[in-house]
Amino acid sequence: MAAHTENEITIAAPLDLVWDMTNDIQNWPRLFSEYASVEVLSRDGHRTTFRLTMFPDDQGRVWSWVSERVADRMTRTVWAHRVETGPFEYMKIRWEYTETPHGTRMDWIQDFTMKPDAPVDDTGMTEIINRNSREQMALIRDRIERAADERRSAAVLTD
């Protein structure tokens, strides 16, 4: 059985700033609260392969995996998948960015299937991903909006 999640948030900031901050993979430990570290393994044009390592979970386990992302600024989309799938049969992720009158809407769409021996099934992981996506997106929104405010303030001071 395949599972699917869709989560979105609008960030009161210009598209370029949202794009730049959310696609600066090396800065993700400062943008997301769940990532302890990121190691970029290779870059080839718009394709980046990297290792993400999370902070220990409640049982002290540290989760880490390799993913590959292809960022296409022209279409305002990012396609990603896990190379090291861990408990997933597969995990595919698409990020979409849309300019709106209120800022930039960022959508995260995830399609996956859990392995039969995974600690949770598709339904359980769907709940985890939806809850975590909402938390991380709100945190990212707040951090980007703060950066946008700082840039606006700095621009006013230099005018």
Side-chain angles (χ1 to χ4, degrees):
M1 179 180 143
H4 178 84
T5 65
E6 292 188 28
N7 290 279
E8 71 170 65
I9 196 160
T10 297
I11 302 168
L15 176 79
D16 285 340
L17 180 61
V18 175
W19 177 272
D20 290 344
M21 288 184 71
T22 59
N23 286 291
D24 180 2
I25 297 169
Q26 291 174 292
N27 194 47
W28 279 7
R30 289 178 292 284
L31 189 62
F32 291 80
S33 65
E34 61 189 344
Y35 299 138
S37 67
V38 62
E39 176 188 5
V40 173
L41 303 173
S42 68
R43 290 188 193 273
D44 182 15
H46 300 291
R47 182 180 313 274
T48 305
T49 303
F50 57 99
R51 173 173 295 284
L52 278 175
T53 302
M54 297 182 79
F55 288 103
D57 66 14
D58 293 340
Q59 289 78 40
R61 294 175 297 204
V62 175
W63 299 93
S64 181
W65 64 90
V66 173
S67 287
E68 182 179 83
R69 285 172 58 91
V70 178
D72 185 345
R73 196 173 193 127
M74 292 292 293
T75 63
R76 300 174 181 170
T77 57
V78 177
W79 294 87
H81 70 277
R82 284 191 179 201
V83 176
E84 292 177 1
T85 58
F88 296 91
E89 287 283 342
Y90 67 90
M91 165 62 86
K92 297 178 182 178
I93 305 167
R94 186 172 77 247
W95 290 17
E96 297 176 350
Y97 300 80
T98 307
E99 287 182 285
T100 76
H102 306 289
T104 303
R105 190 180 79 224
M106 182 174 65
D107 295 85
W108 292 352
I109 300 99
Q110 299 181 6
D111 293 293
F112 60 92
T113 298
M114 303 305 295
K115 291 179 180 173
D117 62 346
V120 295
D121 61 9
D122 289 352
T123 301
M125 185 54 73
T126 297
E127 293 171 9
I128 291 167
I129 287 173
N130 281 328
R131 181 178 57 249
N132 190 56
S133 292
R134 286 188 291 272
E135 290 172 7
Q136 293 303 311
M137 290 176 115
L139 179 64
I140 290 166
R141 177 200 59 215
D142 294 348
R143 289 179 173 169
I144 293 174
E145 287 179 355
R146 193 167 31 254
D149 288 344
E150 290 169 1
R151 289 181 183 198
R152 282 190 287 272
S153 296
V156 168
L157 292 175
T158 59
D159 286 344

